[in-house]
Amino acid sequence: MKVTAFTCLDTYNIKNGFPLAAWSESLVNTVESGFVLCLVAYFQKQLNLTTFLLATTYITASSWALFAPASFGPSPEVISLAQVFSIVLNTSALLPQLKQNFERQSSGDYSTITALVACAICGTRIYTTIELANGDPLLLLNYGVLFLLNVGLLAQVLYYGTQVEGKALASLFLADIKSDDSSIEDLAKDVNMIEDADKIGSVTSNPIVAFFDKPIIKVVENAEER
């Protein structure tokens, strides 16, 4: 979904002749999302005929939209419609998170830093669209909607985190790089269980590597009974 949304945005910018400085991060996001999608398909063993057909369809449609001559390629109206579709896809990716946070009255797992950075990027793109893309209405709509949604997510995380969950503001911004005490306690329990299992010579079918302020503990698959 993300690959499709970013590709539509790239195509719209290219066909309208907007400078790369106005949409460069979208191109980076397209390549990054495509690479991640390939990794997911590989490790989930989904490199089958269906995946091949989908990839072929994507490449063919993208090449047609970008390189076909004007007499044979998509009309400006179709390109604009694709950009509207991109806005819908980007919006639908954030709405479930907003809904989940509201229903749980929780800051959830969404990163505070991610929301803050997204707000800054969208705000910057609103400015560059006005300056470099002649204030294109569809691009302004795209970045404007994303800006509002990310502001909403940021507000949820800050409000629920500080007012409902009683967390310190600093801890919300450090959540990506610092584990809370409950996570550490759970990890400690897991480590103790692994040590106990190792002492009695238990054998597991899933290798486990535990890290917790002590040497790495490994329970090796198909280990010999003591």
Side-chain angles (χ1 to χ4, degrees):
M1 186 168 67
K2 280 291 186 181
V3 175
T4 302
F6 290 134
T7 301
C8 289
L9 180 58
D10 296 338
T11 303
Y12 182 79
N13 279 283
I14 292 173
K15 299 299 285 188
N16 282 279
F18 297 138
L20 183 62
W23 55 279
S24 56
E25 85 288 341
S26 176
L27 184 60
V28 173
N29 288 335
T30 305
V31 175
E32 179 185 2
S33 299
F35 181 70
V36 171
L37 186 60
C38 290
L39 288 178
V40 171
Y42 174 77
F43 286 108
Q44 291 188 352
K45 302 185 185 304
Q46 296 296 320
L47 298 178
N48 48 37
L49 180 60
T50 300
T51 302
F52 175 76
L53 292 176
L54 288 173
T56 301
T57 301
Y58 166 77
I59 294 173
T60 302
S62 300
S63 300
W64 170 68
L66 288 171
F67 305 115
S71 58
F72 178 70
S75 65
E77 290 76 16
V78 173
I79 296 295
S80 297
L81 184 62
Q83 173 56 24
V84 173
F85 182 59
S86 170
I87 298 173
V88 173
L89 290 179
N90 283 322
T91 301
S92 63
L94 293 176
L95 287 177
Q97 184 67 50
L98 282 163
K99 180 175 180 291
Q100 183 185 76
N101 290 349
F102 177 76
E103 290 176 344
R104 295 182 177 180
Q105 298 288 292
S106 167
S107 58
D109 298 326
Y110 198 79
S111 169
T112 308
I113 295 178
T114 298
L116 185 62
V117 170
C119 289
I121 291 176
C122 290
T124 301
R125 279 307 169 206
I126 290 174
Y127 173 77
T128 57
T129 297
I130 295 174
E131 293 294 319
L132 302 176
N134 304 317
D136 184 86
L138 284 180
L139 291 181
L140 287 176
L141 178 63
N142 178 68
Y143 294 122
V145 170
L146 290 177
F147 177 78
L148 292 176
L149 291 176
N150 280 291
V151 167
L153 281 172
L154 180 61
Q156 280 187 328
V157 172
L158 294 178
Y159 176 77
Y160 292 136
T162 58
Q163 302 302 314
V164 178
E165 299 171 359
K167 296 180 180 178
L169 184 62
S171 68
L172 294 176
F173 286 96
L174 294 175
D176 291 339
I177 57 176
K178 181 180 179 181
S179 299
D180 57 28
D181 293 340
S182 61
S183 298
I184 293 177
E185 291 176 358
D186 292 340
L187 182 57
K189 293 178 181 178
D190 292 340
V191 170
N192 290 332
M193 291 175 64
I194 294 170
E195 289 178 328
D196 292 341
D198 185 57
K199 288 177 181 178
I200 63 176
S202 297
V203 178
T204 177
S205 60
N206 294 317
I208 301 174
V209 179
F211 299 86
F212 184 69
D213 296 333
K214 54 183 66 179
I216 299 175
I217 303 167
K218 295 183 179 179
V219 180
V220 183
E221 184 176 6
N222 298 325
E224 295 182 358
E225 293 186 2
R226 296 183 178 181

